[in-house]
Amino acid sequence: MIAEVYIDIPANPVNKPFDYRIPDYLDEVIQPGMRVTVPFGRTRRLGFVTGLKEQSEFKQLRAIDSIEDHAPVLTQELLDVGLWLAEATLCATVTAFQAMLPAAMKAEYKKMLQVEESEQLKAEDPELAKIFETGRQLSWTEITKNNPELLKRINRMLKKGLLSIHQLVQNQANAKKVITVSAAVSSERLKEEVSQLSDRAKRQKEVLNLFIGKSEDASYKPTMNALVQNGLSREAITRLADKSLLRLEQIEQFRDPYANYVQQTQPLDLTDEQHKALAPIMQSMNTGEHRVFLCHGVTGSGKTEIYLQAIQRVLELEKQAIVLVPEISLTPQMVLRFKGRFGDRVAVMHSGLSRGEKYDEWRKIREGKVQVAVGARSAVFAPFKKIGLIIIDEEHESSYKQEDTPRYHARDVAIHRAKIHHCPVVLGSATPSLESFARARKKVYTLLTLKERVNRRPLPSVQVVDLREEMREGNHSVFSRLLLEKLKDRLQKKEQTVLFLNRRGYSTFVMCRSCGTVVKCPHCDISLTYHRAHHLLKCHYCGYEQKAPDTCPTCGSDAMRFFGTGTQKVEAELNRLLPEARVIRMDVDTTRQKGSHEKLLRQFGDEKADILLGTQMIAKGLDFPKVTLVGVLAADSLLHLPDFRASEKTFQLITQVSGRAGRHRLPGEVVIQSYTPDHYAVSDAARHDYEGFYQQEMELRHRGGYPPFFYLALISLTHSEPAKAADAAERIVSILKKNLSEASLVYGPVVPAISKIKDRYRYQCMVKYKREPALIPVLQKIMQHFQESGKDSLQVSIDLNPVVLM
Ligand code: ADP
Ligand code: ZN
Ligand code: ZN
């Protein structure tokens, strides 16, 4: 038999299956979806078996060395998804396969040195020969670690062919193993043994006494460690096992990071709105019909309860469910809602887990030990066999798009898999992406609407403060008078406040502090980006540039500022203005350590602080009853990013942050500070008017030719020499123009806002298109033709439907 194997080298010439002979002893063992080690060129590599066949067109086939897995790690469905993903995102097939597996399963290669000609080596370099006397293969790093001088000599011997290099494949995925102890004979027999043992075997008697009366209970299997911790002797236990009175077994144990603190919850009685939303999802599951639902529900409308009850139905149907939430909202609060309802039928995958823990969670899914997977983006690849439902909460979140290869969007993968499994996808959000809402409008998706919060609690009242006004009246603080007054009021009432400051957009755009003018590109209606090096403002869509003005082009004031304030500065200001307030600051600096995120939130939940000050990491998923005030310090900081989604992101963020207030008994208030309070993204969010925002934004997208009216493809090039990158970019643009239909628009090349990364110069071209069957083939050819390997070479990357354009 012959196996088709994809080698784990993500380079173009290797991006196809290679035929390998299956040695006799692996016949009927190897299955598609397993990983194997194979000889490749002069090294050993890891590969994925994608198919088996009887014949090959090649004669001299090399044989598979060994298998890495004893059961397939990718199901046939996931192998197919991988092939689809590779084509849809223009990446190497093996890259797609790897993206579906936990990081611990990525092979690491250890460079080994091996002696080829020992006699000759002894003659040439006796000292080196001595090092190799102990064994034929030695690790490269270990030999050269403390002795760099050896490197040169080793290289010389390598050139002469006296030494050679081998790559040893290392699989890091190891299940944690524990030893359990159980009785191997009847209780009667154990009693007998106790009476026969001499008095000196006191420790053995102790162990036997423990098992007397438990022999008949198959579930009584304490671990060796537990027994030893309770004072029993390890030696005595092994002695008894040697005498076949006890049985020792090695079993795989799962690390459970959530063990011990889950409280069981019961389904709630649904509100009418919840009921109406859930019914069609149920129907789609019951009939096994693939549909995509967009659940548009205001914050606090009880979307999560809908998810929970839908999942319950999935379990009744003996199928499995995948729940995607943004990494940032994988807070213990969110996780516990799923664990609380479904207990240990849930696997949780997020970046806070260790590699081993992640691997364990994945293994529970593969082995069918759990039925629900909750996780961030990559959980969409959960290796379930009978998927009954896929949920994507906060579907508008940009973190569902992966920024490295494979550049996939979890929503696309979810829909692709759900089609295969004939099951529904539920996209949930208080602020759906324009793309999704437009699809729902066109009836491609089914819209489910929840207009009210559970128990008719009102949405918080929102006030917008004009910061220009504050300036004019002499208030230069980051806090408006209104916000400060309300902060004091909450301190007095012992209620809590969440203050939100956006970190992104720091100092990248220029704004006039007295009239709010932001300098925009005359061709694109997008803020210009400040390039410090040449004091220039540039448009990174069309390449337009101008000198950064020293005075405002609208009002002539010289108060032009680079926008942005740090959380530290705000904290200092809070301490000055409200010395009695206890403040918790949450940003990248205070949450670097593992678990600190949870710890700070717990402190705030325990009312150990009055104010929670933070960046976008506090915008979502938090639900604290005592929070009655939310302040957004600078609503504009996202608005002027050079991105056509800037308004959408601003609207989403203000809505999400406002949603943190008044979720419980106490009513909530929101204060939004802005330099452009009349901007529709700010004012519509303040009115909780999604539809209004949608209308206006769609009009602008239509005029600008942006999604959802057009699709985008972004081609990025980097090279250590700017001229070479520019030249290739020019040629790519002309190839695209020649090969694509006239309805498609090709832009560029332009230099992006970040023009150089790690000494490599960047260029970008963009295609806007509606229907373009020629696109993927042309882009594939461009990749094959332009992509070079090696350090000082041209690198091409292609992002279809990009989320980040910088
Ligand atoms: P969303 O996910 O839409 O923001 P949640 O699911 O967090 O809303 O619901 C808000 C709050 O209302 C939660 O505390 C939740 O437990 C509660 N809740 C949801 N549905 C019901 C219901 N049918 N009856 C009572 N309380 C509910
Ligand atoms: Zn422009
Ligand atoms: Zn001005």
Side-chain angles (χ1 to χ4, degrees):
M1 283 296 273
I2 287 150
E4 294 180 320
V5 179
Y6 274 90
I7 311 294
D8 72 343
I9 301 173
N12 235 310
V14 188
N15 189 22
K16 58 172 187 228
F18 286 81
D19 288 354
Y20 282 90
R21 191 164 53 72
I22 299 177
D24 284 345
Y25 73 98
L26 289 177
D27 200 19
E28 289 180 25
V29 174
I30 289 190
Q31 295 166 45
M34 279 185 178
R35 296 171 310 151
V36 292
T37 311
V38 294
F40 189 78
R42 297 174 57 192
T43 62
R44 298 258 172 292
R45 301 294 305 199
L46 196 76
F48 289 83
V49 177
T50 52
L52 302 177
K53 56 189 183 183
E54 306 217 325
Q55 261 159 13
S56 169
E57 53 185 301
F58 303 100
K59 284 220 186 70
Q60 298 241 306
L61 292 185
R62 300 171 84 177
I64 287 175
D65 267 356
S66 59
I67 51 171
E68 288 294 316
D69 307 303
H70 293 274
V73 291
L74 293 173
T75 57
Q76 186 60 51
E77 182 236 349
L78 283 174
L79 287 173
D80 293 341
V81 170
L83 293 171
W84 164 79
L85 193 65
E87 177 162 330
T89 69
L90 295 152
C91 74
T93 308
V94 70
T95 307
F97 290 156
Q98 280 163 347
M100 302 185 205
L101 297 175
M105 293 178 79
K106 220 168 253 167
E108 279 198 354
Y109 291 94
K110 200 169 170 188
K111 212 162 157 188
M112 304 297 285
L113 278 170
Q114 178 174 321
V115 182
E116 291 292 329
E117 306 282 345
S118 61
E119 285 310 308
Q120 225 173 318
L121 183 66
K122 242 181 233 163
E124 294 259 346
D125 192 332
E127 200 189 331
L128 208 52
K130 202 154 170 92
I131 295 176
F132 282 92
E133 255 173 14
T134 47
R136 278 175 67 82
Q137 280 202 354
L138 293 175
S139 144
W140 170 279
T141 33
E142 266 155 46
I143 294 178
T144 55
K145 194 170 48 190
N146 301 318
N147 198 349
E149 184 263 344
L150 271 184
L151 259 178
K152 221 185 270 167
R153 283 156 62 189
I154 290 174
N155 273 329
R156 218 177 294 140
M157 296 304 125
L158 281 170
K159 275 206 192 100
K160 288 190 175 175
L162 306 187
L163 288 177
S164 65
I165 290 180
H166 285 255
Q167 306 272 23
L168 198 72
V169 180
Q170 286 186 312
N171 188 357
Q172 317 164 50
N174 283 317
K176 189 178 165 193
K177 298 223 170 68
V178 292
I179 295 172
T180 60
V181 187
S182 55
V185 293
S186 69
S187 292
E188 279 305 304
R189 176 79 186 80
L190 292 178
K191 265 190 210 147
E192 220 173 282
E193 186 67 23
V194 172
S195 59
Q196 284 168 12
L197 276 173
S198 77
D199 283 346
R200 276 186 302 154
K202 207 177 87 206
R203 313 225 62 174
Q204 288 187 42
K205 282 189 184 171
E206 241 172 37
V207 175
L208 288 174
N209 279 326
L210 184 71
F211 284 92
I212 290 172
K214 308 251 176 54
S215 287
E216 288 66 37
D217 178 4
S219 69
Y220 188 71
K221 274 190 180 183
T223 64
M224 173 79 98
N225 283 345
L227 295 178
V228 173
Q229 270 163 22
N230 281 306
L232 295 174
S233 147
R234 186 184 300 269
E235 213 197 329
I237 296 171
T238 17
R239 282 283 271 293
L240 292 167
D242 287 344
K243 292 193 217 162
S244 300
L245 295 167
L246 294 182
R247 187 184 299 120
L248 300 186
E249 280 170 287
Q250 199 179 44
I251 60 157
E252 291 190 351
Q253 197 192 38
F254 294 101
R255 287 154 275 216
D256 186 355
Y258 292 94
N260 306 331
Y261 63 103
V262 193
Q263 235 176 349
Q264 174 83 33
T265 66
Q266 296 301 324
L268 302 169
D269 283 335
L270 296 183
T271 64
D272 276 356
E273 277 194 333
Q274 282 175 318
H275 225 91
K276 282 207 188 91
L278 182 60
I281 301 173
M282 290 292 207
Q283 197 201 346
S284 160
M285 288 192 294
N286 292 339
T287 56
E289 176 200 13
H290 165 70
R291 275 170 83 183
V292 182
F293 296 95
L294 176 62
C295 182
H296 176 209
V298 297
T299 54
S301 58
K303 294 185 289 295
T304 313
E305 184 64 28
I306 297 177
Y307 306 156
L308 291 169
Q309 301 204 9
I311 294 169
Q312 190 165 347
R313 180 75 193 131
V314 173
L315 300 184
E316 286 161 13
L317 292 167
E318 298 189 341
K319 293 184 178 176
Q320 301 102 32
I322 297 174
V323 184
L324 302 184
V325 298
E327 184 66 56
I328 210 162
S329 29
L330 266 172
T331 55
Q333 276 192 330
M334 188 68 173
V335 169
L336 288 181
R337 292 182 73 174
F338 288 91
K339 281 269 184 184
R341 192 67 56 89
F342 305 114
D344 52 15
R345 307 182 78 175
V346 182
V348 181
M349 301 157 106
H350 67 85
S351 64
L353 303 181
S354 72
R355 267 185 170 203
E357 286 168 339
K358 274 186 215 157
Y359 173 61
D360 281 356
E361 295 295 294
W362 177 86
R363 220 156 38 96
K364 285 187 208 164
I365 297 170
R366 190 193 69 180
E367 293 171 8
K369 296 204 161 67
V370 295
Q371 287 77 41
V372 183
V374 181
R377 179 178 63 225
S378 63
V380 76
F381 298 115
F384 284 131
K385 297 202 175 81
K386 280 200 298 188
I387 299 175
L389 175 66
I390 304 178
I391 292 164
I392 304 185
D393 191 30
E394 313 282 6
E395 69 90 30
H396 61 276
E397 266 295 304
S398 55
S399 64
Y400 285 126
K401 174 71 190 285
Q402 173 149 307
E403 292 303 330
D404 310 323
T405 45
R407 294 187 170 78
Y408 68 92
H409 198 296
R411 196 199 294 133
D412 300 331
V413 179
I415 293 173
H416 185 81
R417 291 194 77 186
K419 275 183 191 153
I420 299 172
H421 289 269
H422 307 287
C423 76
V425 172
V426 176
L427 309 172
S429 176
T431 52
S433 64
L434 255 68
E435 282 93 335
S436 293
F437 202 73
R439 270 178 211 154
R441 276 283 172 88
K442 283 168 82 181
K443 305 255 190 289
V444 181
Y445 299 165
T446 307
L447 187 63
L448 311 168
T449 310
L450 298 145
K451 286 197 157 51
E452 284 183 2
R453 282 186 159 182
V454 174
N455 296 342
R456 316 223 162 179
R457 281 190 201 100
L459 284 167
S461 74
V462 182
Q463 277 173 282
V464 182
V465 177
D466 186 343
L467 284 176
R468 295 168 303 183
E469 195 102 332
E470 294 288 314
M471 276 275 292
R472 275 197 286 277
E473 310 220 348
N475 177 12
H476 293 262
S477 151
V478 292
F479 297 103
S480 61
R481 290 158 299 176
L482 181 74
L483 182 55
L484 191 61
E485 192 186 299
K486 290 193 185 297
L487 272 166
K488 285 181 182 157
D489 174 62
R490 294 315 190 275
L491 279 176
Q492 213 163 36
K493 289 194 203 146
K494 304 227 178 306
E495 292 172 7
Q496 290 180 304
T497 301
V498 169
L499 288 179
F500 178 79
L501 181 71
N502 198 10
R503 188 175 45 86
R504 257 182 290 174
Y506 191 85
S507 286
T508 51
F509 67 98
V510 179
M511 187 176 68
C512 168
R513 290 253 283 172
S514 39
C515 78
T517 292
V518 171
V519 188
K520 288 189 167 180
C521 172
H523 309 294
C524 304
D525 196 35
I526 272 185
S527 327
L528 293 174
T529 303
Y530 180 61
H531 289 241
R532 195 182 299 258
H534 301 98
H535 197 53
L536 285 175
L537 295 180
K538 290 189 188 178
C539 169
H540 81 238
Y541 281 86
C542 73
Y544 169 85
E545 62 178 55
Q546 66 171 67
K547 240 180 88 61
D550 296 320
T551 53
C552 172
T554 310
C555 76
S557 145
D558 60 0
M560 298 300 281
R561 290 288 178 279
F562 309 114
F563 209 71
T565 326
T567 41
Q568 273 175 333
K569 209 171 127 191
V570 176
E571 188 184 22
E573 181 111 348
L574 270 176
N575 290 337
R576 189 175 64 81
L577 293 169
L578 304 167
E580 74 278 24
R582 298 163 303 162
V583 181
I584 289 179
R585 177 168 63 102
M586 256 178 86
D587 55 24
V588 277
D589 294 325
T590 62
T591 54
R592 207 161 279 148
Q593 269 181 340
K594 191 179 162 177
S596 51
H597 189 207
E598 288 81 357
K599 203 172 112 197
L600 291 175
L601 288 181
R602 206 171 326 117
Q603 283 174 3
F604 190 63
D606 292 344
E607 295 177 46
K608 296 222 166 69
D610 309 298
I611 299 170
L612 177 65
L613 164 68
T615 54
Q616 46 262 75
M617 63 178 71
I618 63 168
K620 285 175 213 84
L622 305 185
D623 194 355
F624 296 112
K626 275 286 180 83
V627 173
T628 59
L629 176 64
V630 167
V632 181
L633 295 174
D636 316 72
S637 55
L638 270 183
L639 201 50
H640 305 297
L641 280 182
D643 184 336
F644 70 88
R645 288 194 180 88
S647 300
E648 185 180 358
K649 285 185 183 152
T650 302
F651 179 87
Q652 288 165 349
L653 203 66
I654 296 176
T655 306
Q656 295 290 349
V657 178
S658 312
R660 300 305 118 219
R663 291 169 71 89
H664 296 264
R665 200 174 37 80
L666 300 166
E669 265 189 306
V670 179
V671 175
I672 296 171
Q673 306 190 138
S674 169
Y675 288 96
T676 46
D678 302 327
H679 192 287
Y680 63 100
V682 177
S683 58
D684 286 345
R687 279 199 304 271
H688 309 293
D689 184 5
Y690 178 84
E691 295 262 343
F693 170 78
Y694 173 81
Q695 298 292 357
Q696 179 128 17
E697 181 66 13
M698 284 295 270
E699 217 165 279
L700 291 177
R701 297 280 181 93
H702 185 69
R703 241 186 281 153
Y706 287 116
F709 296 96
F710 280 86
Y711 293 109
L712 303 183
L714 183 71
I715 300 124
S716 304
L717 300 144
T718 70
H719 199 290
S720 51
E721 293 171 52
K724 291 205 170 141
D727 176 56
E730 291 286 356
R731 282 187 299 154
I732 287 174
V733 165
S734 79
I735 292 171
L736 287 169
K737 283 186 174 155
K738 217 178 291 161
N739 287 279
L740 299 182
S741 65
E742 275 185 14
S744 298
L745 305 167
V746 182
Y747 294 86
V750 296
V751 177
I754 307 164
S755 63
K756 187 167 90 170
I757 294 178
K758 288 185 184 163
D759 288 322
R760 296 183 62 89
Y761 293 84
R762 308 174 71 213
Y763 277 84
Q764 288 181 335
C765 337
M766 183 148 71
V767 183
K768 288 183 182 175
Y769 62 100
K770 285 195 167 176
R771 208 163 281 119
E772 188 56 80
L775 185 70
I776 294 276
V778 173
L779 291 177
Q780 273 169 342
K781 281 216 187 81
I782 286 173
M783 277 298 257
Q784 278 161 22
H785 187 75
F786 286 89
Q787 175 76 295
E788 297 167 359
S789 54
K791 218 163 102 246
D792 294 316
S793 60
L794 186 70
Q795 298 295 323
V796 187
S797 69
I798 296 176
D799 193 350
L800 295 166
N801 309 314
V803 165
V804 175
L805 292 152
M806 304 210 231

